[in-house]
């Protein structure tokens, strides 16, 4: 992977997860929420939910769900990032083609960022992105991102902002997450192995999506771990589910818990 591609990957992943690190979340009692009138229906053109570039050097696709019409500021930000990324990746792909030996295969680069709805409650929209990209290296790379949008306050929030006390929530979530991750690694590997991918990556550093079926309350949490985070590239991604408990439910701010 070229330095340009590495920088772009970092920019995309960090920008998409900006505000998600729970250690940056505010803690303490919930402050009074402003009384706002119900937002009018917002209609966005279908073209605003898609950025697609198909050239000889690059296949680029960014896609957003129509539910993001409820978060126009967030949609505009994510779309602007995608448009800029498409320009950067096209330039990087052209540079890579020029640097390759004449007899080397010139494989087109690609980038896919597909945003989907993880949870949609009366007060909260949670979306997650599955990201894949190839920039001329030995193999493609992939990862995840998450976003949380407070519908009443009309602003982006972090995962930790869902809780009245993030420190207490993290204390409950971490052992359950680490135990489930170890069980999944054992299932894939067949045995306990020594190596660099045996530790439990800190929860506060990972994108976490909510688990919720349409019309039902939030039922759990899904920790999203890309290659080289919890295992080797060959082991692929890890999506670790942590079920909701009464203790965790008591820590979630009530307005975020209830489904539509």
């Amino acid at each position: 992977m070229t330095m340009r591609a590495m920088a772009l990957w970092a920019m995309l992943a960090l920008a998409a997860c900006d505000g998600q690190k729970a250690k940056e979340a505010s803690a303490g009692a919930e402050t009074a929420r402003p009384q706002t009138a119900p937002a009018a229906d917002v209609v966005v053109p279908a073209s605003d939910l898609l950025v697609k570039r198909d050239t000889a050097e690059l296949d680029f696709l960014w896609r957003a769900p129509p539910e993001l019409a409820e978060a126009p500021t967030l949609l505009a930000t994510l779309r602007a990032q995608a448009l800029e990324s498409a320009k950067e990746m096209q330039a990087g792909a052209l540079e890579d083609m020029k640097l390759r030996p004449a007899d080397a295969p010139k494989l087109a680069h690609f980038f896919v960022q597909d945003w989907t709805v993880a949870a949609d409650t009366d007060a909260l929209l949670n979306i997650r992105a599955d990201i894949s990209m190839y920039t001329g290296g030995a193999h493609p790379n992939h990862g995840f991102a998450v976003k949380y949008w407070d519908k009443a306050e009309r602003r982006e929030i972090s995962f930790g902002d869902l809780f009245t006390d993030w420190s207490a929530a993290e204390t409950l979530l971490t052992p359950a997450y680490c135990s489930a991750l170890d069980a999944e690694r054992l299932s894939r590997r067949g045995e306990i192995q020594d190596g660099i991918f045996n530790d439990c990556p800190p929860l506060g550093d990972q994108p976490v999506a909510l688990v919720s079926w349409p019309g039902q309350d939030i039922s759990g949490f899904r920790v999203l771990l890309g290659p080289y985070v919890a295992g080797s590239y060959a082991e692929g991604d890890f999506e670790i589910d942590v079920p909701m408990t009464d203790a965790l439910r008591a820590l979630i701010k009530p307005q975020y818990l209830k489904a539509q």
Side-chain angles (χ1 to χ4, degrees):
M1 183 184 295
T2 64
M3 291 300 294
R4 177 195 289 268
M6 291 176 64
L8 177 61
W9 175 259
M11 178 189 73
L12 288 165
L14 292 175
C17 294
D18 187 29
Q20 295 306 322
K21 286 191 177 182
K23 61 186 177 184
E24 298 175 356
S26 58
E30 180 185 4
T31 57
R33 299 170 63 83
Q35 298 297 316
T36 58
D41 289 342
V42 178
V43 178
V44 298
S47 58
D48 283 1
L49 303 175
L50 183 71
V51 175
K52 185 174 176 61
R53 301 289 185 269
D54 189 2
T55 69
E57 301 82 20
L58 174 67
D59 186 3
F60 184 99
L61 176 64
W62 172 89
R63 186 162 45 201
E67 287 84 353
L68 264 182
E70 294 186 87
T73 303
L74 179 57
L75 173 59
T77 298
L78 294 176
R79 179 175 170 79
Q81 290 172 354
L83 290 169
E84 183 62 28
S85 298
K87 293 180 183 178
E88 288 285 330
M89 291 207 69
Q90 177 64 30
L94 284 169
E95 179 185 5
D96 180 52
M97 298 298 181
K98 292 177 182 178
L99 293 175
R100 287 180 177 268
D103 58 346
K106 291 181 171 54
L107 301 176
H109 292 196
F110 71 79
F111 176 84
V112 178
Q113 186 174 51
D114 194 9
W115 289 96
T116 56
V117 174
D120 190 4
T121 73
D122 288 342
L124 179 71
L125 177 65
N126 171 216
I127 58 174
R128 57 169 282 180
D130 292 75
I131 307 169
S132 299
M133 68 186 299
Y134 174 72
T135 57
H139 53 68
N141 291 284
H142 39 104
F144 303 98
V146 293
K147 286 289 186 182
Y148 290 89
W149 181 262
D150 185 306
K151 296 179 183 179
E153 296 186 358
R154 301 177 188 178
R155 67 181 181 92
E156 185 181 350
I157 61 173
S158 72
F159 175 59
D161 287 330
L162 302 180
F163 302 92
T164 57
D165 184 342
W166 164 246
S167 179
E170 185 179 32
T171 298
L172 292 173
L173 285 165
T174 295
Y177 146 63
C178 291
S179 294
L181 173 59
D182 284 342
E184 178 60 24
R185 286 194 286 209
L186 179 60
S187 174
R188 296 187 188 189
R189 298 170 185 174
E191 60 181 357
I192 298 176
Q193 301 173 348
D194 293 329
I196 61 174
F197 294 120
N198 284 334
D199 293 339
C200 185
L203 178 66
D205 293 339
Q206 315 311 321
V208 181
L210 299 176
V211 178
S212 175
W213 292 98
Q216 297 182 7
D217 294 350
I218 295 168
S219 60
F221 311 88
R222 183 164 293 156
V223 186
L224 307 173
L225 307 164
Y228 302 121
V229 177
S232 66
Y233 183 86
E235 288 182 288
D237 301 325
F238 288 82
E239 298 194 24
I240 304 301
D241 284 359
V242 179
M244 181 69 73
T245 64
D246 290 342
L248 284 167
R249 185 177 289 106
L251 290 172
I252 296 181
K253 296 173 184 177
Q255 68 269 21
Y256 296 140
L257 184 63
K258 294 295 182 182
Q260 296 197 85

